[in-house]
Amino acid sequence: MAKISVAMTTYNGSKYIIKQLDSLKNQSRKIDELVICDDCSTDNTVELVNDYIKSNNLEGWNISVSYTHLTLP
């Protein structure tokens, strides 16, 4: 069976992130991998995601944080 991978981006999403993660976790087909990239959130989005992953023992779910902003001319 094919592996299910999901990519997600976040930025100051603490208001809705738990509902989004619940929706992904409760799909009828289990997600094998969730890669979340956060773009320097200034709220507690990253902490909420990390706590959610740990408290639900979600292997293959990861968040990485970008600490740089790209400025275009």
Side-chain angles (χ1 to χ4, degrees):
M1 190 174 280
K3 184 176 181 178
I4 303 291
S5 295
V6 176
M8 178 179 186
T9 59
T10 58
Y11 177 74
N12 290 344
S14 64
K15 184 174 180 180
Y16 301 107
I17 194 67
I18 299 302
K19 286 184 181 184
Q20 292 170 319
L21 296 174
D22 280 343
S23 176
L24 292 170
K25 182 175 72 73
N26 295 324
Q27 292 296 306
S28 58
R29 174 94 193 280
K30 181 182 178 260
I31 293 172
D32 298 301
E33 174 184 49
L34 174 63
V35 177
I36 304 169
C37 297
D38 184 83
D39 191 21
C40 300
S41 288
T42 57
D43 64 2
N44 64 334
T45 299
V46 174
E47 292 82 9
L48 288 172
V49 171
N50 278 321
D51 289 347
Y52 188 92
I53 291 169
K54 288 178 189 173
S55 67
N56 288 282
N57 298 314
L58 297 168
E59 292 183 27
W61 289 39
N62 299 290
I63 185 167
S64 63
V65 180
S66 171
Y67 290 103
T68 60
H69 287 283
L70 177 63
T71 305
L72 299 175

